[in-house]
């Protein structure tokens, strides 16, 4: 994004708003990851520690979730680039 049209105070404010939004998005993604993987994998509450099956389930769940998020982000970036190119033509 080009913020050159704004003065330095406005640029700083916009940067802070963007950083806050990015942190909120990250926290939402992290919360969804924890919620999904805990509910899917943790079902034996007779011990403080995870069992080997639960631990493997959590590892697989987080791996799939992160790969999915990465793929969605890549597709979003591709579509955004296509839209920007279409607007430029």
């Amino acid at each position: 994004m080009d913020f050159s049209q704004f003065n330095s105070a406005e640029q700083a404010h916009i940067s802070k708003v963007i950083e806050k939004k990015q942190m909120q998005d990250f926290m939402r993604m992290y919360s969804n990851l924890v919620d999904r993987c805990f509910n899917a994998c943790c079902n034996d509450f007779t011990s403080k520690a995870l069992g080997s099956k639960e631990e493997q389930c959590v590892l697989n769940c987080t791996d799939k979730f992160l790969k999915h998020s990465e793929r969605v982000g890549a597709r979003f970036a591709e579509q955004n680039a296509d839209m920007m190119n279409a607007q430029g033509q």
Side-chain angles (χ1 to χ4, degrees):
M1 296 182 140
D2 182 22
F3 298 129
S4 61
Q5 65 208 27
F6 301 108
N7 66 40
S8 60
E10 291 170 330
Q11 289 177 3
H13 175 73
I14 292 170
S15 292
K16 285 184 180 184
V17 169
I18 291 171
E19 287 174 16
K20 183 178 178 182
K21 178 66 175 153
Q22 288 174 334
M23 180 57 79
Q24 288 172 337
D25 290 343
F26 171 77
M27 293 305 293
R28 186 178 307 111
M29 184 182 82
Y30 179 78
S31 179
N32 288 338
L33 169 67
V34 169
D35 187 51
R36 174 177 286 181
C37 294
F38 179 84
N39 289 331
C41 299
C42 300
N43 47 32
D44 180 11
F45 298 102
T46 60
S47 171
K48 289 183 186 179
L50 291 174
S52 61
K53 288 182 181 179
E54 289 176 323
E55 188 171 349
Q56 189 60 48
C57 179
V58 169
L59 291 173
N60 291 339
C61 180
T62 55
D63 188 48
K64 285 181 182 180
F65 187 91
L66 293 174
K67 285 180 180 177
H68 169 76
S69 295
E70 184 179 311
R71 185 174 174 114
V72 168
R75 295 295 176 251
F76 178 77
E78 288 172 7
Q79 288 184 349
N80 191 34
D82 291 344
M83 285 179 18
M84 296 300 279
N85 287 337
Q87 286 178 352
Q89 293 177 356

